[in-house]
Amino acid sequence: MTLRASAAAAVLAATAFLGLAPQAAAAPVPQPQAATAENRAAAARAATAPDTLATLSRFFAREGRVSLGAAQPRIEGEAIPVHHLSPDFVAGRADASVARLEFLASQAVSSDGQRAALWTARTETGWQVVNIATGDDEFRYARLGAAKLPGGTVFREPQIDAWYVAGGGRVLPLDEDAVRAVGAGGTTLGAYRGRVAAAYGDKLPGSPYAERGAAGGFAEAGADAVPAAAAGVEVPWAAGAGVLALGALGAAAVRRLRRAGARA
């Protein structure tokens, strides 16, 4: 499996010279349960703010592919909800949904066609852009999930960078990592709960694993993953972005792992 860790580039650029301030010490602010019209509007305002667009210009120009003045970033479409595997579901809590809202994503495009996702989350000071990630995973998998299971919930299992769509008691894979986890035909919601409980049940917030500060989380053997911290990268944590989805396993969530080749 060939992976590229674009979080390192995105976070390094954002923190080192793009002006996204790290807030690692801040207590997490719970994200809303649903992406209401009000939340989408707030995320859109944060994504289209002049300071954000200036930051995007520097982000797109960081590797010399386009000049700072010519980047002319724009936001395409509406902000979409991005869900991750829920720790309550992993813990087996009654009536817990398989996924929870982690942030809203807005699609940014530069004049030369580069694409990036702006992660916008509710913080102690309001809705803010808390990360910039290259590519269009969030939007592509939202489309794939809607086509595969209309009305289902598209979500990511960040520890193995797998994308699924869930609905009607089924969990269906949307990428190769998910196929390896649940098979090409998917699995039942109950069977999926059993798998993630076995993988992450002892690593939830409050567990000895989390309390001793272990990092890295669960990953498939052979995954070519380098934590951002190992590359000397400071992560621009939101004061409440849900990127620490499974406590100490959040290190894998913040690492932005992407494939070198685009999937159909």
Side-chain angles (χ1 to χ4, degrees), residues 93-191:
R93 293 178 183 168
D95 301 323
S97 298
V98 66
R100 72 179 184 185
L101 182 67
E102 292 294 299
F103 54 86
L104 298 181
S106 296
Q107 185 161 227
V109 184
S110 70
S111 61
D112 66 338
Q114 294 182 72
R115 292 182 178 271
L118 294 175
W119 295 7
T120 309
R122 186 170 62 186
T123 75
E124 291 179 337
T125 57
W127 284 86
Q128 295 181 350
V129 175
V130 297
N131 193 29
I132 304 173
T134 59
D136 65 347
D137 280 9
E138 293 82 3
F139 315 99
R140 184 159 46 90
Y141 289 118
R143 293 192 297 269
L144 288 173
K148 192 166 190 176
L149 187 59
T153 299
V154 174
F155 72 98
R156 181 172 178 246
E157 185 183 331
Q159 294 74 27
I160 60 172
D161 194 32
W163 288 86
Y164 309 86
V165 59
R170 300 285 299 175
V171 177
L172 306 179
L174 295 177
D175 69 356
E176 62 190 31
D177 293 308
V179 169
R180 278 192 289 271
V182 301
T187 188
T188 65
L189 192 62

